[in-house]
Amino acid sequence: LLTNTLVAPQELEEYLNLKFSEGINYNYSLNILADKNNTYALYELGTNEYKGYIKGYPRYDISYKYFKEASQKNHPSSYYMMAKMLIDGNIGNKSIKDLKNAYEYLNISISLGNIASLNLLGNMYKEGIYVKKDLNKAITLYEEASLHNYAYAYNNLGKIYEDKHEYEKAFKYYEKSSLLGESYALNKLGEYYRQGIYVDINLDKAFSLYNKAIEVPIDNIYPYAFYNLAKYFYLTGDVI
C-alpha cells in the first residue's frame, strides 16, 4: 500500500502560496492545483466535499476519491479519512473487506505519524470492529494518542474509567480535554459539577462549563450542552 513517492516540498510551497495570495478565485485555483496532483490541494478538496462545503451536502464518493489520490503520496491524514469513512459506512457497506482496508489504512497512517489514527484504531479495539475486542489494547492506543494532547483520546479514556466508576480518573481525563476547548469534555465536567460527581456540587461552575461547551466552532459543538442549559438553568429560572 505504501509507495516510494513522498510529498515534494514544492507542493507545499505552491499550496501555501495559493492560501496566502488568492481571494475570490481561491476555489477555482485550488481545483487547478489539484488537477496538477498537488497533495495538499487534493486533501483540502476531499475535506470540503466530506463536510459538504461545496454543494451544501456531503459527496462522500468524490471526497474519498480526493483522499485516495492524496494517499498515493503518503499523506497521513488522507489515510485516516479513508479509514474513517469506511468505518462509518460513508463509503462501502462496512463489509469485512471494507473494515480490513480501514484497519490497514489506519496502520499506515500511524506509521506516518498521524495521531488521530491511534485514537480511531483504539475505537476499533474497544468496539471489536474487524479486530477482536480488546479493551487493554484500546487503552494503550488512547494513552499513546493522549501523549500528544489529542482531545478525543482523553475523552475516550474518560468514558472508559467512567464506565468503571473510577470517577477521579475520568474527571482528570475530561479536564485535560476541556483545557483544549473540547465541547463534549466541557459538557461532561458541567455534569460532574451539577450532580456532584467526584467534586462538590457547584452550579456556577456547571453553568460556566455548559456555556463554554457551546462557544466552540459549530462543527464541534456537543448539542447536549444546549439541552443541559435549557433544562437545568433557563427552564427553571436559575440562570446565574
Side-chain angles (χ1 to χ4, degrees):
L1 288 170
L2 279 171
T3 68
N4 292 324
T5 306
L6 297 177
V7 181
Q10 63 266 26
E11 287 195 32
L12 180 57
E13 183 177 350
E14 290 173 346
Y15 175 73
L16 292 176
N17 284 338
L18 175 63
K19 294 288 283 187
F20 295 142
S21 63
E22 285 285 347
I24 194 169
N25 293 324
Y26 178 74
N27 287 331
Y28 172 81
S29 299
L30 186 66
N31 277 277
I32 295 297
L33 201 57
D35 288 341
K36 295 179 181 178
N37 208 31
N38 182 285
T39 308
Y40 303 99
L42 289 166
Y43 178 75
E44 183 172 336
L45 286 172
T47 301
N48 289 345
E49 290 288 3
Y50 176 82
K51 293 185 175 181
Y53 292 162
I54 305 299
K55 292 292 186 180
Y57 55 88
R59 295 192 293 180
Y60 293 125
D61 54 339
I62 298 175
S63 173
Y64 191 86
K65 176 178 176 290
Y66 281 129
F67 291 137
K68 185 72 172 178
E69 291 177 15
S71 75
Q72 299 307 309
K73 294 186 179 180
N74 293 340
H75 188 268
S77 295
S78 293
Y79 279 114
Y80 165 79
M81 286 303 302
M82 289 193 299
K84 177 174 170 55
M85 294 174 77
L86 289 166
I87 291 168
D88 292 344
N90 303 133
I91 292 292
N93 57 9
K94 299 186 181 182
S95 66
I96 295 298
K97 181 180 178 181
D98 289 337
L99 297 177
K100 178 178 183 291
N101 285 337
Y103 177 81
E104 291 175 352
Y105 290 154
L106 287 179
N107 279 285
I108 293 171
S109 183
I110 289 168
S111 74
L112 295 170
N114 185 273
I115 306 307
S117 292
L118 286 167
N119 183 73
L120 187 52
L121 188 59
N123 290 349
M124 293 187 78
Y125 278 102
K126 180 175 181 288
E127 303 299 331
I129 300 171
Y130 178 67
V131 295
K132 183 178 179 181
K133 185 179 290 189
D134 187 337
L135 187 59
N136 290 330
K137 177 70 172 177
I139 289 173
T140 297
L141 288 161
Y142 293 147
E143 287 178 341
E144 188 174 349
S146 74
L147 294 175
H148 302 272
N149 269 352
Y150 191 71
Y152 298 126
Y154 286 135
N155 287 351
N156 284 323
L157 287 165
K159 292 174 191 176
I160 287 172
Y161 288 111
E162 192 171 55
D163 289 343
K164 293 182 174 184
H165 305 293
E166 296 182 35
Y167 295 113
E168 180 178 1
K169 285 185 178 180
F171 181 91
K172 289 179 178 177
Y173 281 119
Y174 288 139
E175 186 174 44
K176 288 179 179 181
S177 182
S178 75
L179 293 174
L180 298 170
E182 206 289 309
S183 184
Y184 176 88
L186 287 161
N187 179 77
K188 265 294 183 181
L189 289 184
E191 291 286 85
Y192 274 49
Y193 279 106
R194 182 180 63 81
Q195 299 180 58
I197 300 171
Y198 171 64
V199 293
D200 292 333
I201 290 176
N202 186 331
L203 296 183
D204 287 2
K205 187 73 172 175
F207 184 73
S208 174
L209 286 161
Y210 290 144
N211 274 289
K212 287 180 180 178
I214 65 172
E215 290 169 358
V216 305
I218 192 167
D219 285 352
N220 300 320
I221 292 176
Y222 186 66
Y224 274 98
F226 288 110
Y227 172 84
N228 288 327
L229 280 169
K231 181 174 182 180
Y232 298 112
F233 292 95
Y234 288 97
L235 189 63
T236 61
D238 292 332
V239 180
I240 298 171

